[in-house]
């Protein structure tokens, strides 16, 4: 079976119709930007994850990502099908108030994960510390923040509910939460602030045609990615003496 991310191609026509319809009424309703208030019931980890969430802007739209600090390098983790250009391609990384450029340094077609390096740090964003989860048991509570569709940043909770086997990538994590186009690339964290994996697709029904299950999300386990290996090409090519390259 092809990777579940094929859903994006399957739904392209339907979405183009939806976007066209939305554009028709755009001049009739122009809501004001809401005043964002974060309730104190949001946990410290959820607040940190939300603060580190970014939009990865592409020529065809956008995906989501997470800014992560690894030693003395500031990285953006996202899905490969979001940052699908050649290694060395620049991508715009955006929050609500700031924008920075980044450079693609690693891709895994097999695991649908990509790593970019920020060319300059954000002023009002604190990166998550690189802390990959070593296990992802069923029942583990998770949190993430992303940019579904044309919406502003949203924060979600959920739980690991099972696994699936991909012929190329091996074990994939299934999470019960909400996801939609634009959320791809979001970092999925447990409640201890450890990175569980990267969101890369929504589930579709296996039989009787494609049917989106937007509350069943596929996640690539981050433990499949060796961060030092992902930075190897960058480290060989840089003249700076980064601690992350030692």
């Amino acid at each position: 079976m092809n990777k579940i991310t094929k859903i994006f191609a399957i739904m392209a026509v339907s979405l183009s119709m939806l976007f066209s319809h939305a554009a028709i009424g755009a001049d009739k309703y122009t809501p004001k930007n809401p005043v964002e208030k974060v309730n104190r019931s949001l946990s410290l980890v959820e607040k940190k994850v939300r603060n580190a969430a970014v939009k990865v802007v592409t020529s065809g739209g956008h995906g989501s990502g997470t800014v992560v600090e690894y030693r003395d390098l500031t990285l953006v983790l996202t899905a490969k099908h979001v940052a699908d250009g050649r290694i060395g391609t620049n991508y715009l990384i955006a929050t609500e108030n700031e924008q920075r450029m980044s450079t693609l340094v690693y891709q895994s077609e097999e695991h649908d994960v990509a790593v970019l390096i920020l060319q300059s740090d954000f002023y009002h964003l604190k990166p998550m510390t690189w802390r990959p989860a070593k296990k992802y048991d069923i029942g583990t509570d998770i949190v993430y923040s992303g940019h579904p569709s044309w919406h502003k940043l949203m924060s979600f909770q959920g739980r690991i509910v099972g696994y699936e086997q991909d012929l190329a990538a091996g074990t994939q994590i299934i999470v019960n939460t909400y996801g939609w186009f634009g959320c791809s690339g979001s970092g999925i964290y447990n409640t201890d602030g450890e990175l569980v994996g990267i969101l890369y697709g929504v589930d579709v029904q296996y039989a009787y045609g494609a049917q989106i299950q937007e509350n069943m999300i596929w996640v690539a386990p981050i433990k499949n990615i060796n961060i030092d290996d992902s930075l190897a090409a960058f480290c060989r090519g840089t003249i700076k003496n980064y601690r992350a390259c030692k």
Side-chain angles (χ1 to χ4, degrees), residues 11-56:
M11 295 299 297
V13 175
S14 297
L15 282 178
S16 65
M17 293 173 64
L18 176 61
F19 293 152
S20 297
H21 184 270
I24 293 172
D27 58 342
K28 298 180 181 178
Y29 177 57
T30 53
K32 295 180 180 179
N33 290 333
V35 176
E36 183 174 281
K37 294 182 179 180
V38 178
N39 192 281
R40 116 178 47 168
S41 65
L42 212 63
S43 71
L44 181 60
V45 168
E46 287 175 288
K47 290 176 183 177
K48 288 181 176 179
V49 170
R50 182 178 177 87
N51 180 256
V54 292
K55 184 179 291 186
V56 181

Side-chain angles (χ1 to χ4, degrees), residues 25-102:
D27 58 342
K28 298 180 181 178
Y29 177 57
T30 53
K32 295 180 180 179
N33 290 333
V35 176
E36 183 174 281
K37 294 182 179 180
V38 178
N39 192 281
R40 116 178 47 168
S41 65
L42 212 63
S43 71
L44 181 60
V45 168
E46 287 175 288
K47 290 176 183 177
K48 288 181 176 179
V49 170
R50 182 178 177 87
N51 180 256
V54 292
K55 184 179 291 186
V56 181
V57 181
T58 69
S59 59
H62 77 270
S64 296
T66 302
V67 179
V68 172
E69 187 175 63
Y70 179 65
R71 296 178 183 171
D72 54 347
L73 284 177
T74 306
L75 313 176
V76 179
L77 306 183
T78 187
K80 189 269 177 187
H81 74 268
V82 172
D84 61 354
R86 294 184 177 183
I87 298 297
T89 300
N90 290 332
Y91 285 87
L92 181 67
I93 307 299
T95 66
E96 183 67 25
N97 301 309
E98 297 182 82
Q99 297 180 343
R100 294 291 185 272
M101 294 304 298
S102 67

